[in-house]
Amino acid sequence: MWNLHCTACWLTLGLVILVLSSFASLDLQWRKFLSGDALASMGRFIQELTQPQADLAFLRKIFWASLETLAMSAVGTALAALAGLALALPAAKTHPDDPARWRDLTRLLLNALRSVPELVWAALLLISAGLGPLAGTLALALHTTGVLGRLFAESFENQPQGPAEALRLRGVRPAQVFWYADLPQALPQLVSYTLYRWENNIRAAAILGVVGAGGLGQMLAFHMGLFQMMETSSVLIATMILVALVDGLSYLTRLGLQR
């Protein structure tokens, strides 16, 4: 079970020590968390949260906020897919003779875009774009561009190069090689990545409203701030329904592409 020359054993031991040290360094206060007062407060909170607001006027507001959240995620993902594809081309080295002069610089830009979370992008963009869905849409687009650009570049680099190489040997220009060989081969995977990111952006769009970027998140932050648990419950249910619908639509689309 243990060998002094076993690298995996030492790595495992190091991870165990790191996890135990993490628990020891945090002031978790489990006794307060599991005290009678804390459990009673959680019980009251759950009881209020399980009574959603069903007023017709409020449900109408939730409906329009859901559409706004859906639109933010769809537009942000579409913009990111276009920008990610444009940046993926110089970020990919598709064959040994490809000079890929801009590869390192482009990948650095993609790393920078995706290293900043959507919530931080939204907070920064609120200064210039103001409150509302524009800041949230641009925040989703910027972060997702970094993610999709890297995934698209990896797809172009890892796909079989037989068809593209055959065209290059016949003297076909690089642009035509891309349109007739590289893009058709990678397209199903590119669409799959885009749909997957759309699923993630639905959840992210619901969170971005916390900083005033519109949609369900803005309603959620407002009613939670006022401790209106019935309204908060209705917004949470609407968010879960919206995420489930988009997940189902994305799954069916990917299933159709695989046939």
Side-chain angles (χ1 to χ4, degrees):
M1 294 295 293
W2 180 260
N3 188 341
L4 292 177
H5 301 288
C6 174
T7 304
C9 298
W10 286 106
L11 288 175
T12 303
L13 179 62
L15 288 174
V16 171
I17 294 175
L18 181 62
V19 171
L20 294 178
S21 301
S22 300
F23 275 98
S25 63
L26 294 177
D27 186 18
L28 297 177
Q29 300 182 358
W30 292 106
R31 185 174 299 176
K32 290 184 179 179
F33 180 73
L34 298 175
S35 65
D37 292 339
L39 292 176
S41 298
M42 285 189 287
R44 289 193 300 270
F45 174 80
I46 294 174
Q47 182 180 6
E48 294 174 359
L49 200 63
T50 54
Q51 300 175 1
Q53 175 64 263
D55 181 67
L56 186 60
F58 184 73
L59 293 180
R60 191 178 295 112
K61 291 181 181 179
I62 289 181
F63 174 75
W64 289 112
S66 300
L67 291 183
E68 190 172 70
T69 299
L70 181 63
M72 286 169 55
S73 66
V75 174
T77 305
L79 293 175
L82 295 175
L85 181 60
L87 291 174
L89 299 179
K93 184 178 177 65
T94 56
H95 58 91
D97 296 329
D98 186 358
R101 298 181 183 90
W102 302 98
R103 185 172 186 267
D104 294 337
L105 183 61
T106 308
R107 292 206 169 209
L108 180 62
L109 174 60
L110 293 174
N111 290 340
L113 288 173
R114 73 171 180 272
S115 64
V116 180
E118 299 96 332
L119 200 60
V120 177
W121 276 123
L124 294 173
L125 289 166
L126 283 174
I127 301 173
S128 58
L131 294 174
L134 178 59
T137 302
L138 294 177
L140 290 174
L142 286 172
H143 178 80
T144 309
T145 294
V147 176
L148 290 181
R150 182 59 184 268
L151 292 174
F152 290 176
E154 297 291 341
S155 298
F156 287 132
E157 288 186 345
N158 296 329
Q159 68 184 3
Q161 292 299 316
E165 186 64 25
L167 292 177
R168 279 191 291 267
L169 290 175
R170 291 178 175 270
V172 177
R173 289 177 296 181
Q176 292 177 313
V177 172
F178 171 75
W179 285 109
Y180 292 107
D182 290 333
L183 185 59
Q185 281 192 111
L187 189 58
Q189 196 167 15
L190 302 187
V191 173
S192 180
Y193 283 143
T194 303
L195 290 173
Y196 176 69
R197 285 304 308 180
W198 185 30
E199 297 175 20
N200 292 340
N201 284 344
I202 280 285
R203 304 177 185 89
I207 297 173
L208 290 180
V210 174
V211 295
L216 288 171
Q218 191 164 342
M219 291 187 66
L220 181 64
F222 176 77
H223 292 292
M224 284 190 68
L226 296 177
F227 296 98
Q228 297 174 345
M229 291 299 105
M230 293 177 63
E231 288 78 3
T232 299
S233 177
S234 298
V235 175
L236 289 175
I237 292 173
T239 303
M240 289 187 286
I241 292 174
L242 185 61
V243 169
L245 289 175
V246 172
D247 284 354
L249 177 61
S250 177
Y251 172 76
L252 292 175
T253 306
R254 289 200 305 269
L255 193 63
L257 289 172
Q258 294 173 359
R259 292 179 179 176

